[in-house]
Amino acid sequence: MQPEPEDLGGGLWSVPVPIPDNPLAYTLVYALESPRGPVLIDAGWQHEDAWSALRGGLAAFGIDVADVRGVVVTHYHPDHAGLAGRVREASGAWIAMHPADAGIVKLFRSAGQGGRREFELTALRRAGAAESELADRADGPRVSPPALPDREISDGDLVDLPGRRLRVIWTPGHSPGHICLHLEDGDRIFTGDHVLPRITPHIGLYPYDFPDVDPLSDFLGSLDKVSAMSVDEVLPAHQYRFNGLAGRAREIIGHHEERLAEVAALLSARPITLWDLTAGLTWRHPWADMTRQSRRMAAAEAAAHLRTLETRGIARRDGADDPLRYVLR
C-alpha cells in the first residue's frame, strides 16, 4: 500500500509519487524548506497520476508547486527525473544533475528513438541474442528522455539551498552520475537508489560490451564510500526510511560478491556468449517466462558482473568476433 505524504520534521517532507504499472509502486520525493522556497529531491515519473500526487502531496503541507525553487535529481532515470521538467514549467525552478548523467540525457535527446533502437539492436546481436529477441520492440511504451538540467553539481558541492547545508556525494554505479545528498544540518542522507532498505538497485552495463567502464566496481566503491559516513537517518527514494547505513551497505556488497561467484562458476575454458551466460543464472522468474525487456535488463546486469570479473583478472573475452564470448582467464 502506498504511504501518505509525511512531515518528517526539521523543514522536511516526503511525498510518495506513483510509478504506473511498476512493482516499485512509488518514488519518495522529498521537499526541503528554505527561506527562498522549497527544493525537491527527485520529482517522480512523468504521468498525470504522478503529477496529481506530487501537487496534492505538497499542497497538504501548504506548498504550491509554483513556489518550488529547484529540483535536485539523484539520477536521470524516469521515476526520478521524469517530472522535473514539468515542475520547472510550473515554477521556473532550476534542475540540477551530476555532469555524467546530464551527458547521458543530452545523448538520448540527440539520438532520438530511432537511433536508440538501432543502438540497442547492435548491442543485443553482439551479446548473442537470438533473432527472435530482436524481431519486435521491447515490451511496453518507450519513455522519453527527461528534461535537460540547468545546473550541473559535482562531488562535494553544496546545493543552492539558502540557510541549509545539503552536500553532494557522487555515488556512481546505478547510473554514472548517481548522487546521494547529505543534509549536514539535519544528520540525514538521501540515498536515491544507491542504498535501499530491502532490495538492491539494478547495476547494468549498457551497451553490454561498452569499453573502459565498470559500473559494478564503481557501485561497490560507492558503497564503501557511504558506509564510512557517520549519519543517523537514511532516506531512500523507494520503500521506507531506516537507520544503519554502514550495515546495509555491507549487506549489498555481500550480495554482489555472491553474484560474482555465480557468474564465475558458469565460465570455463569453453567460450560462452553473454546471452547464454545470462540464461544460466538464477533470477527471480525463470528465464523462459521473462519478458524481452526483463531479459535485456538481466543481460545488462550479467554484463556488469562480467566486466568486474575482467577487471579482477578472472574472466576475459575470447577474440573479438560477433557475438562476443567469454572464458575464464
Side-chain angles (χ1 to χ4, degrees):
M1 185 174 67
Q2 183 167 307
E4 295 294 320
E6 188 174 358
D7 187 340
L8 305 181
L12 172 64
W13 303 272
S14 71
V15 177
V17 176
I19 312 171
D21 303 317
N22 189 295
L24 283 173
Y26 56 87
T27 300
L28 289 170
V29 173
Y30 297 97
L32 275 164
E33 184 180 36
S34 89
R36 298 184 188 174
V39 168
L40 304 185
I41 298 176
D42 289 328
W45 191 277
Q46 172 67 284
H47 189 276
E48 284 302 321
D49 291 346
W51 179 242
S52 295
L54 178 62
R55 292 184 65 193
L58 292 174
F61 308 116
I63 300 172
D64 191 318
V65 72
D67 296 328
V68 171
R69 173 179 174 80
V71 182
V72 184
V73 177
T74 60
H75 58 297
Y76 74 90
H77 293 167
D79 55 324
H80 297 258
L83 280 174
R86 192 157 181 182
V87 172
R88 181 169 61 191
E89 290 173 3
S91 64
W94 46 258
I95 301 172
M97 189 182 295
H98 189 276
D101 273 17
I104 292 175
V105 174
K106 292 173 186 175
L107 178 64
F108 282 172
R109 295 182 75 87
S110 64
Q113 288 199 358
R116 296 198 300 273
R117 173 64 175 157
E118 189 56 38
F119 176 85
E120 184 177 44
L121 290 177
T122 299
L124 287 166
R125 291 189 178 98
R126 286 180 62 79
E131 284 300 314
S132 60
E133 299 283 351
L134 316 178
D136 197 3
R137 62 184 297 173
D139 310 88
R142 294 279 176 176
V143 178
S144 298
L148 285 168
D150 307 286
R151 304 180 180 187
E152 295 184 355
I153 49 177
S154 299
D155 191 43
D157 287 350
L158 283 173
V159 173
D160 180 8
L161 185 61
R164 313 202 71 164
R165 293 181 63 83
L166 184 65
R167 193 173 300 277
V168 175
I169 307 165
W170 182 36
T171 51
H174 182 54
S175 79
H178 190 289
I179 58 171
C180 295
L181 296 151
H182 183 202
L183 184 62
E184 296 177 346
D185 58 276
D187 197 27
R188 288 161 153 166
I189 184 169
F190 303 92
T191 57
D193 282 359
H194 183 55
V195 182
L196 302 171
R198 287 193 297 105
I199 59 176
T200 61
H202 173 68
I203 308 298
L205 178 59
Y206 297 95
Y208 307 129
D209 61 331
F210 196 72
D212 304 322
V213 293
D214 186 350
L216 180 57
S217 290
D218 290 343
F219 180 60
L220 297 176
S222 297
L223 288 170
D224 275 335
K225 182 178 183 178
V226 299
S227 71
M229 296 179 63
S230 175
V231 65
D232 184 26
E233 188 176 26
V234 183
L235 296 94
H238 303 289
Q239 301 187 316
Y240 51 84
R241 305 186 305 282
F242 65 99
N243 301 101
L245 176 62
R248 180 56 184 149
R250 287 193 294 269
E251 286 179 359
I252 298 172
I253 290 172
H255 162 78
H256 283 286
E257 291 297 339
E258 292 175 3
R259 192 63 157 173
L260 286 163
E262 183 184 6
V263 173
L266 290 178
L267 295 170
S268 66
R270 181 180 178 183
I272 186 173
T273 67
L274 170 63
W275 207 255
D276 288 341
L277 183 145
T278 305
L281 292 170
T282 303
W283 301 101
R284 181 177 302 174
H285 303 290
W287 179 255
D289 297 341
M290 291 168 67
T291 65
R292 285 188 297 273
Q293 185 60 28
S294 294
R295 289 185 182 185
R296 294 172 190 186
M297 291 184 68
E301 182 177 317
H305 285 76
L306 264 176
R307 176 56 51 82
T308 295
L309 291 175
E310 289 183 85
T311 300
R312 294 181 180 183
I314 296 171
R316 66 173 176 85
R317 300 182 191 188
D318 183 61
D321 295 336
D322 286 345
L324 291 173
R325 290 177 168 82
Y326 298 84
V327 296
L328 282 175
R329 184 175 291 277

